[in-house]
Amino acid sequence: MRIKTIQIIIALGFSLMTFAQETKGSFAKEVKVKLSLNYILQLPENQKEKFPLLVFLHGSGERGTDLELVKNHSPFTYQHLIPSPVAILAPQCPENVWWDSTALYQLILDISEKYNIDKSRIYLTGLSMGGWGTWKLAEEHPELFAAIAPICAPVDRMMLINADKLKDMPLKIYHGALDDVVLPTDSIEMYQKLKGINKTAELILFSNDNHNSWDSTYSNPKFYEWLLAQHK
């Protein structure tokens, strides 16, 4: 019986040693991803000099495959107020998803290479879901944009955490004070995060606007004057 007991103890010892083995290594794998976005691009006519690019991100109601929808509630409506030649790029988000910032980034790079774009004057603006996309893309690639203008934008926790990435970004935040779709506290909280580190950050609250604060923003000629005055 004593011999059997010793054998059992030895067997248990080997079992424990087997489970205690440690392996170190590394993992690397190249994964190919197809990125796809439909878009409208409006270019200035007869423009030989380099021109700025205004990127507009629509809200959730314009998602899908009907590209004409992206012109709704946008700078296209008020382009007669834009004081100098500018290209307007308006991608369309597919149905049932939110903006893919990787696809947006690659699209902007592609457009800026194909056309006579002044890369020191690429501007980003968007409303509601597009405002969320504006924050996300700008925080991921602050080096790309000369200025940003999110409108009635939802703000998530990671955006607040990464607000310091926009410390050198000229930006204005727009929101309706009566907004009951995306509460103005989202923009207020983001502004509070930014105001101590970014002297250019400005919050504009429209006292009589609900969720539609984009018309008050895009119908103001001073918006375009400020935007186009920014250079990297």
Side-chain angles (χ1 to χ4, degrees), residues 24-43:
K24 294 182 179 179
S26 62
F27 173 79
K29 184 176 182 180
E30 183 176 340
V31 179
K32 294 183 178 180
V33 178
K34 182 179 179 180
L35 302 173
S36 178
L37 280 176
N38 295 325
Y39 63 87
I40 289 178
L41 175 64
Q42 185 177 97
L43 298 170

Side-chain angles (χ1 to χ4, degrees), residues 33-232:
V33 178
K34 182 179 179 180
L35 302 173
S36 178
L37 280 176
N38 295 325
Y39 63 87
I40 289 178
L41 175 64
Q42 185 177 97
L43 298 170
E45 294 182 356
N46 305 318
Q47 181 67 19
K48 295 181 180 179
E49 300 295 325
K50 286 185 177 294
F51 43 79
L53 176 65
L54 173 57
V55 182
F56 166 69
L57 304 182
H58 63 72
S60 60
E62 290 72 56
R63 290 177 291 189
T65 56
D66 182 357
L67 264 175
E68 286 301 308
L69 290 177
V70 305
K71 293 181 179 179
N72 296 344
H73 322 305
S74 74
F76 285 108
T77 307
Y78 301 102
Q79 57 189 307
H80 61 282
L81 300 175
I82 302 176
S84 57
V86 60
I88 303 177
L89 172 63
Q92 186 172 41
C93 186
E95 287 183 316
N96 302 318
V97 296
W98 280 44
W99 287 108
D100 181 340
S101 56
T102 301
L104 288 170
Y105 176 65
Q106 293 299 327
L107 172 62
I108 295 168
L109 290 184
D110 187 68
I111 294 297
S112 64
E113 289 296 332
K114 282 183 178 178
Y115 300 95
N116 198 25
I117 303 297
D118 182 349
K119 295 178 184 177
S120 71
R121 300 178 71 196
I122 299 177
Y123 310 107
L124 179 62
T125 184
L127 60 90
S128 196
M129 183 188 76
W132 175 89
T134 297
W135 284 126
K136 190 172 191 296
L137 186 56
E139 286 189 344
E140 291 175 359
H141 301 284
E143 77 290 344
L144 187 60
F145 302 106
I148 65 169
I151 303 168
C152 58
V155 173
D156 61 45
R157 188 56 51 188
M158 287 306 299
M159 291 170 182
L160 292 168
I161 291 172
N162 293 322
D164 64 314
K165 295 185 178 182
L166 300 176
K167 61 184 177 63
D168 300 317
M169 177 75 68
L171 62 90
K172 289 190 177 185
I173 308 165
Y174 298 86
H175 217 118
L178 305 178
D179 195 335
D180 57 4
V181 178
V182 178
L183 297 181
T185 50
D186 280 40
S187 289
I188 292 169
E189 192 172 3
M190 192 64 167
Y191 173 68
Q192 289 173 335
K193 277 283 186 179
L194 285 164
K195 67 178 182 177
I197 57 174
N198 185 332
K199 294 180 180 179
T200 73
E202 186 177 351
L203 173 64
I204 297 93
L205 290 175
F206 298 107
S207 59
N208 295 318
D209 284 357
N210 196 300
H211 193 47
N212 179 1
S213 49
W214 49 84
D215 279 325
S216 294
T217 303
Y218 294 144
S219 65
N220 187 347
K222 292 186 179 299
F223 170 76
Y224 304 102
E225 292 174 12
W226 165 77
L227 198 66
L228 295 176
Q230 310 308 314
H231 294 70
K232 281 202 300 180

